[in-house]
Amino acid sequence: MNVLVINCGSSSLKFQLIDSVSEKVLAKGLCERIGIDGSKIEYEPYNGEEQEKEVSMPTHNEAIKIVIDSLLNKETGVIKDLSEVGAVGHRVVHGGEYFSKSTIVTDEVIKKIEECNDLAPLHNPANIIGIKACINAMPDTPNVVVFDTAFHQTMPPKAYLYPIPYEYYKKYKIRRYGFHGTSHSYVSKKVAQIMDTPYDKLKTIVCHLGNGASICAVENGKSIDTSMGLTPLAGVAMGTRSGDIDPSIVEVISEKENMNVKEVLNVLNKKSGVLGLSEVSSDFRDITKAIEEGNEVAKNALEVFANTVVRFVGAYVAEMNGVDAIAFTAGVGENNQAVRKMVCEQLGYLGVSLDEKANEKRREEIMISTPDSKVKVFVIPTNEELAIARETLELLS
Ligand code: AMP
């Protein structure tokens, strides 16, 4: 069965058509600037070159239609008939406490996702638009939703409750939810597979380090703690997000810079992290280049970033009373050797021994610890689209 995997942002739509049996990507692409002038689609079939075309997409409905047209195109398409799309799997950011698993879309499910809009105001409404557009375009095709938060619903109250008045949890569901769940689940399962150990017998820490970054402690196949919180702003330093800071800083910046809370949070979300601290860029490639050119401030920024990762890994080793494996994934985790080295060197006390030669590799599934390292360390390229396709197939069969 072919699964169309859809990841909707407020003005974008990423897609992949995956043969869920062979797990081959038949086509993939991206619609950008939906609802804005100059919207375009990038489309790449498995047997051809990537193409880019400017085309009007006032809403996600047109974007979905253009994706379908591309898949069906006589010359560059990969299917002959829409019936060859057996299901659509959607990435949805926030499932609140309603969803601890992926689920088949019904009116009731859409209503519950809508109820979580307050918890992810930038993402959930876009995800719902994408689901509705697919239902419109393919009324007979089942839709499945896979949540970023679902994997973390196994966290115990001691991990998800914030030490603030309990009534805020009861009234507003203010708690830690965590994100990147599809990636943490995919990578931790892959670790178990590589180590040839049952998933429910391992203690793994997954470091998903991309522009957004989060760490997850996976004990016996369950997420027991993770660094992002009510929103993705919490946890380790990120490309543009601050991660954890003293909450009083919000008041200080607000008073000194004459900003309201929303404006300060905008700074913490979009102008902080490695970008804010380095004054160079949020892109780790630019940071590496600046460091090579002798930029001390950029070096500080990278060290702060790596140190926040070390802090969470150390905390999660303590929470799990040990660790068998640590895995790095996502753009920075898969590509940035310096960050992996900084983190691993701080974990020598645990019995982590880095294989420097293996650590030179990029974007490759590889063990980067030495054979005698007590704790195994891996780089595992994440594949959220494939994980969504697998979940979709599993649910529908
Ligand atoms: P993601 O959010 O997972 O797409 O990750 C984006 C981050 O990964 C950016 O900060 C990039 O600098 C970093 N990244 C992506 N590719 C590379 C690469 N080849 N070398 C170093 N960093 C990379």
Side-chain angles (χ1 to χ4, degrees):
M1 179 173 80
N2 296 330
V3 177
L4 179 60
V5 177
I6 297 284
N7 182 353
C8 271
S10 52
S11 65
S12 69
L13 187 160
K14 280 195 227 159
F15 64 94
Q16 282 195 9
L17 185 68
I18 298 178
D19 174 340
S20 59
V21 177
S22 67
E23 301 199 333
K24 179 173 166 176
V25 178
L26 301 174
K28 63 182 176 183
L30 168 68
C31 301
E32 279 181 299
R33 301 179 63 84
I34 300 169
I36 311 172
D37 278 352
S39 46
K40 59 174 187 178
I41 178 169
E42 285 168 20
Y43 170 78
E44 187 183 345
Y46 76 96
N47 53 356
E49 308 231 310
E50 186 182 295
Q51 314 149 20
E52 196 180 299
K53 196 164 81 180
E54 276 212 20
V55 40
S56 164
M57 292 181 252
T59 72
H60 286 72
N61 280 320
E62 288 79 20
I64 284 289
K65 282 197 187 109
I66 287 155
V67 170
I68 292 172
D69 287 348
S70 305
L71 296 173
L72 286 168
N73 186 285
K74 283 219 160 51
E75 271 131 46
T76 53
V78 290
I79 53 172
K80 292 202 169 58
D81 191 279
L82 206 47
S83 63
E84 289 174 54
V85 177
V88 186
H90 298 265
R91 174 197 180 209
V92 174
V93 168
H94 221 305
E97 286 189 330
Y98 290 127
F99 299 102
S100 56
K101 283 193 199 91
S102 306
T103 184
I104 297 172
V105 174
T106 61
D107 288 346
E108 186 59 23
V109 165
I110 293 179
K111 227 185 316 105
K112 290 216 166 100
I113 299 173
E114 269 164 352
E115 282 176 37
C116 300
N117 279 0
D118 276 354
L119 296 168
L122 296 180
H123 294 99
N124 271 31
N127 300 150
I128 293 167
I129 291 171
I131 296 166
K132 289 185 174 166
C134 285
I135 294 173
N136 264 338
M138 297 175 275
D140 300 326
T141 310
N143 288 266
V144 164
V145 276
V146 179
F147 298 92
D148 273 21
T149 49
F151 181 60
H152 303 299
Q153 280 295 305
T154 47
M155 282 190 291
K158 69 177 176 184
Y160 72 68
L161 287 178
Y162 288 118
I164 58 174
Y166 192 57
E167 64 173 298
Y168 299 143
Y169 169 65
K170 287 190 288 189
K171 283 204 289 204
Y172 313 119
K173 294 288 173 211
I174 294 178
R175 51 159 284 178
R176 180 187 308 283
Y177 289 97
F179 298 86
H180 295 140
T182 311
S183 175
H184 288 302
S185 162
Y186 175 86
V187 171
S188 56
K189 281 182 187 143
K190 198 98 201 187
V191 167
Q193 220 180 55
I194 299 171
M195 289 180 71
D196 200 16
T197 308
Y199 189 42
D200 59 2
K201 295 266 177 323
L202 265 186
K203 293 175 181 176
T204 305
I205 296 173
V206 180
C207 304
H208 178 112
L209 310 179
N211 191 35
S214 73
I215 318 292
C216 180
V218 186
E219 186 172 11
N220 305 334
K222 294 197 169 100
S223 167
I224 61 120
D225 207 347
T226 191
S227 59
M228 282 178 167
L230 173 74
T231 73
L233 180 56
V236 295
M238 303 176 217
T240 64
R241 295 187 197 123
S242 63
D244 289 355
I245 58 165
D246 179 343
S248 305
I249 292 172
V250 174
E251 186 189 9
V252 176
I253 298 178
S254 159
E255 280 177 5
K256 302 273 181 205
E257 295 279 323
N258 195 22
M259 289 178 180
N260 62 34
V261 171
K262 266 204 159 67
E263 288 166 334
V264 178
L265 284 179
N266 192 48
V267 171
L268 298 181
N269 267 304
K270 300 202 174 133
K271 297 181 182 166
S272 299
V274 167
L275 167 70
L277 208 47
S278 69
E279 299 182 323
V280 171
S281 169
S282 64
D283 191 308
F284 283 69
R285 286 166 285 202
D286 300 334
I287 300 292
T288 305
K289 191 156 162 274
I291 295 172
E292 282 163 7
E293 287 163 358
N295 185 330
E296 280 299 313
V297 184
K299 186 161 170 257
N300 279 346
L302 194 71
E303 286 179 358
V304 167
F305 170 77
N307 198 47
T308 60
V309 176
V310 168
R311 205 175 275 152
F312 274 96
V313 172
Y316 292 163
V317 173
E319 273 193 68
M320 293 195 290
N321 198 2
V323 64
D324 300 305
I326 297 167
F328 290 93
T329 193
V332 179
E334 289 165 29
N335 291 294
N336 193 307
Q337 301 97 330
V339 165
R340 297 196 299 246
K341 186 164 180 223
M342 279 189 242
V343 173
C344 288
E345 279 177 348
Q346 286 298 116
L347 303 172
Y349 76 99
L350 279 178
V352 168
S353 157
L354 184 71
D355 178 338
E356 304 246 357
K357 194 144 187 353
N359 189 42
E360 282 168 20
K361 297 262 167 64
R362 287 163 187 264
R363 273 209 194 284
E364 205 178 286
E365 189 178 298
I366 189 169
M367 184 166 91
I368 57 167
S369 50
T370 58
D372 63 343
S373 181
K374 208 172 126 223
V375 177
K376 306 295 175 213
V377 186
F378 300 95
V379 173
I380 296 181
T382 193
N383 193 338
E384 289 166 284
E385 289 79 13
L386 178 59
I388 292 172
R390 282 181 184 166
E391 292 262 330
T392 304
L393 177 70
E394 205 178 300
L395 256 174
L396 292 171
S397 42

